[in-house]
Amino acid sequence: MKTLRILLLPLVLGMLVLSGCSSTGTKDGAEGGAGSGMAGEGGTSTSAAGGGGSWTGSPLDNPDSLLYEKVVYFDFDTAEIRPEYVDTLRAHAEYLVNTPSAHVVIEGHCDERGSREYNIALGERRANSVKRFLEAEGVSPVQIDTVSYGEERPVDPGHNEAAWAKNRRAELVYQ
């Protein structure tokens, strides 16, 4: 009986060790640089897209991925990309470079202040700013289209700074 216990102990310990090695992946580390690889569309994503490798759907839909964020916000009356969106846009650029069949439309938006014509032009500058960033990262121009909606499609219909800040944006819409 004692011999049976001695033989079973390493087997049970080995099973415990192996079963404890699974990983669920967390958002920790997802904000890291976009320099490492990621799988193409429909594949599993890696750290550049933020996942622990457990995501099996499109990397664009992985909530732990930088690709999940598809909105870039802008300061008042500017089309300059804020530094906090650089890693996200680099991840999108890497995805587009590695997935030549992917196509994105960049929608430029503004808050309600300013004339209709001015806001259409500002929305266009915002969309083109994101487009130029992606192209500078190696994305083919044929993969990108831009459109400006100006103030016509607000996310928040409010008339205060909090609402306006949400409406000053460019959205990446994959097709």
Side-chain angles (χ1 to χ4, degrees):
M1 188 69 161
K2 193 172 191 175
T3 307
L4 182 60
R5 283 187 197 166
I6 292 173
L7 292 176
L8 285 178
L9 183 62
L11 180 63
V12 171
L13 288 175
M15 289 174 55
L16 288 173
V17 167
L18 290 177
S19 67
C21 290
S22 68
S23 173
T24 58
T26 64
K27 191 167 174 116
D28 294 343
E31 299 285 326
S36 56
M38 76 180 98
E41 64 187 79
T44 305
S45 62
T46 61
S47 62
S54 63
W55 184 260
T56 58
S58 169
L60 297 169
D61 299 327
N62 181 351
D64 292 329
S65 168
L66 288 173
L67 297 174
Y68 191 74
E69 182 57 51
K70 296 174 186 76
V71 180
V72 175
Y73 293 97
F74 293 88
D75 292 328
F76 176 71
D77 200 28
T78 184
E80 185 177 323
I81 295 171
R82 296 184 343 205
E84 62 262 33
Y85 296 106
V86 170
D87 286 344
T88 298
L89 289 175
R90 282 189 178 138
H92 282 280
E94 184 177 350
Y95 173 79
L96 287 162
V97 166
N98 291 330
T99 314
S101 63
H103 184 265
V104 67
V105 176
I106 304 166
E107 300 177 347
H109 299 272
C110 299
D111 63 41
E112 65 187 20
R113 299 171 291 177
S115 69
R116 184 178 187 282
E117 294 79 15
Y118 179 82
N119 285 337
I120 288 289
L122 180 57
E124 184 176 355
R125 287 195 309 273
R126 288 174 174 164
N128 284 330
S129 179
V130 173
K131 179 181 181 180
R132 281 190 306 275
F133 182 97
L134 294 175
E135 288 176 347
E137 293 291 317
V139 177
S140 171
V142 300
Q143 291 180 273
I144 307 169
D145 284 319
T146 60
V147 64
S148 174
Y149 291 111
E151 63 190 78
E152 300 301 318
R153 294 187 178 184
V155 168
D156 189 329
H159 306 289
N160 56 42
E161 183 54 43
W164 296 330
K166 293 176 191 171
N167 294 329
R168 297 188 302 255
R169 68 195 191 282
E171 294 187 32
L172 286 78
V173 180
Y174 283 87
Q175 301 186 330

